Amino acid sequence: MKIELLWEQDDPNEVLRTRFGFAGPIVRDWVTAAVAHHWGVRVEPPERIVMSGGNALAWVRSGDELLLVKWSVAPERFERLAFAADLTAWLGAQGLPVSAPLPTLAGAVQVRNGGTSMGLQRVIEGDHLDVGDADQVAAAGATLARLHDALRSCPLHDSDHEVLAPPSPLRQQVSDWLASEPSTSAPHARDVVERMLERAPEGLPPMQIVHGDYRASNILRAGSEVVGVLDFEELRLDHRVGEIARSAVLLGTLFRDGGPVPASVRQQFLDGYQAVQPLTDEELRWWPVLVLWYSLALVPSGDDPNGWGRAAVEQLGHSTR
C-alpha cells in the first residue's frame, strides 16, 4: 500500500499515525470494514492512500471496479462535506460530469463513521487538463459555464446560508487587499489595480454557489472532452466572473506542479465559457480587474520557481496598454 501526502513535505506514515490515528496495517482493515458496513460493498484493502490537511483518500477495488473512499477528521468541515456531497449527487443526476457519491444502504451520500465524515465514489478514468491544448481549455471553460448554470438553479441553493457565509462585496475584497499593501506587489502595480477598480461598474449579477477550486488538478478529460470535475469541498458563494477569473489564472496548477498560464490560454478559457453562457457587459469590464488582482495576489513572498511574479508583471503590462 502506497501512502502519500498531496501538498505537504512531512513523513506520510507519521502523518497517518498522528493526524488520522492509524498505523499503516490498521487503516487497511478500517477502510474495508467501513465500506462493507455503510455501503454493503466488499472491497479489497486500499492500494493507495493520499492525505491533504484533515482529509484522506483511499483507492480500493470491488471486483473490476475501482472506487475512492474519502474521509475527513476535521469536525468543523463535516457539515460542509455533507452539503457538498448532496450538491454533487444532484449535479450528477442532471448529467454534469462530476464524481457523484454513491448512496449508502440507508440512502445517505455522506456518513459519520466514528470521528470521521466519509463518502464513497467511483473513480473516473481520465487525464488532467492539458492547458497547452486549446480545445481542452475551451472545453473546460464551457463545462464551467454549464456547471454555473446548474448551480444557479440548484434546489439546495436556499440552504446555502447554513454552510456558506456570503463574502465581502467584490469591490471591498479588492480594496482590502490594496489597503494591506502586500509586500509582493510594487506600489505601481497596486496603483494600476486601484485605478481599474475605480472604473469597474456596479450591477453585477447576484452571487451564487460556485465550485471554488476549478483548475487542472480538479478537471479530468478524455481527448478534448471534460469527463470529470472533482472536489467540491471548497464550494463557496461568489460572483461567477470571480470564479472564472480566478480559475483562468490558476488553470494550469497541478498539486505541487504547474504555474501561471499565458494570456492566450486565459482568453481561450473565457471564450469557451462564453460560447455557452455569455457574460454581461458589467462582468466583462470586471474581468481584467480580477485577472490582474489574482495574478498579483498569487505572487509568493519567497522563492518563485514557477514564475508567478513574472506572469504578474506581464499581466500588468497588458493592463496598462
Side-chain angles (χ1 to χ4, degrees):
M1 178 176 63
K2 189 174 185 180
I3 302 174
E4 306 169 70
L5 286 166
L6 191 59
W7 302 99
E8 302 162 76
Q9 303 290 338
D10 300 316
D11 179 352
N13 287 285
E14 183 65 12
V15 170
L16 181 65
R17 183 183 67 82
T18 58
R19 190 179 304 168
F20 292 87
F22 295 114
I26 297 175
V27 73
R28 296 161 60 101
D29 296 337
W30 179 82
V31 168
T32 57
V35 173
H37 176 70
H38 291 291
W39 284 271
V41 178
R42 189 181 184 89
V43 297
E44 297 176 16
E47 302 175 359
R48 177 187 179 208
I49 291 179
V50 175
M51 297 164 290
S52 175
N55 300 322
L57 301 89
W59 281 257
V60 297
R61 286 196 178 274
S62 176
D64 294 333
E65 190 169 40
L66 187 60
L67 303 174
L68 185 65
V69 184
K70 300 179 68 174
W71 75 94
S72 172
V73 294
E76 68 279 5
R77 293 185 62 83
F78 287 0
E79 188 178 6
R80 172 186 284 266
L81 291 173
F83 180 82
D86 287 338
L87 185 68
T88 309
W90 182 84
L91 290 169
Q94 310 311 303
L96 274 298
V98 298
S99 185
L102 299 175
T104 65
L105 293 171
V109 290
Q110 189 79 11
V111 295
R112 301 285 181 93
N113 187 68
T116 73
S117 177
M118 176 178 283
L120 180 70
Q121 57 193 246
R122 294 184 176 89
V123 172
I124 297 175
E125 297 294 336
D127 299 313
H128 288 287
L129 179 73
D130 178 3
V131 294
D133 186 312
D135 290 338
Q136 291 183 36
V137 172
T143 300
L144 182 60
R146 289 191 287 271
L147 189 63
H148 280 173
D149 185 51
L151 287 170
R152 193 163 47 248
S153 59
C154 173
L156 297 173
H157 214 291
D158 291 341
S159 62
D160 57 35
H161 65 279
E162 298 174 8
V163 290
L164 304 176
S168 302
L170 191 52
R171 190 179 298 277
Q172 183 180 336
Q173 292 180 49
V174 183
S175 296
D176 289 347
W177 178 82
L178 290 168
S180 71
E181 298 185 354
S183 60
T184 55
S185 297
H188 167 65
R190 298 197 295 271
D191 288 344
V192 172
V193 176
E194 185 171 15
R195 289 196 299 271
M196 294 175 70
L197 184 63
E198 289 173 353
R199 297 193 297 269
E202 304 294 342
L204 284 172
M207 290 187 184
Q208 66 166 82
I209 300 176
V210 298
H211 180 275
D213 196 19
Y214 192 82
R215 51 181 166 150
S217 58
N218 287 325
I219 304 170
L220 297 179
R221 52 87 187 178
S224 60
E225 179 186 359
V226 174
V227 294
V229 178
L230 311 177
D231 193 3
F232 280 76
E233 294 172 12
E234 300 304 319
L235 56 86
R236 67 185 72 184
L237 292 175
D238 200 354
H239 295 289
R240 64 174 184 170
V241 68
E243 168 141 285
I244 302 165
R246 184 175 186 274
S247 296
V249 174
L250 283 168
L251 196 62
T253 52
L254 271 170
F255 310 114
R256 298 177 187 176
D257 300 318
V261 297
S264 59
V265 172
R266 294 196 294 271
Q267 188 62 48
Q268 291 161 4
F269 182 69
L270 178 62
D271 290 346
Y273 189 102
Q274 291 212 96
V276 175
Q277 289 287 332
L279 298 187
T280 66
D281 290 343
E282 289 78 11
E283 287 173 315
L284 288 172
R285 289 170 62 189
W286 268 97
W287 164 261
V289 183
L290 296 173
V291 168
L292 178 58
W293 174 42
Y294 282 122
S295 297
L296 293 170
L298 286 166
V299 178
S301 58
D303 294 338
D304 185 17
N306 292 320
W308 289 100
R310 182 175 62 253
V313 170
E314 291 174 358
Q315 182 58 35
L316 183 64
H318 289 305
S319 301
T320 53
R321 288 175 187 168

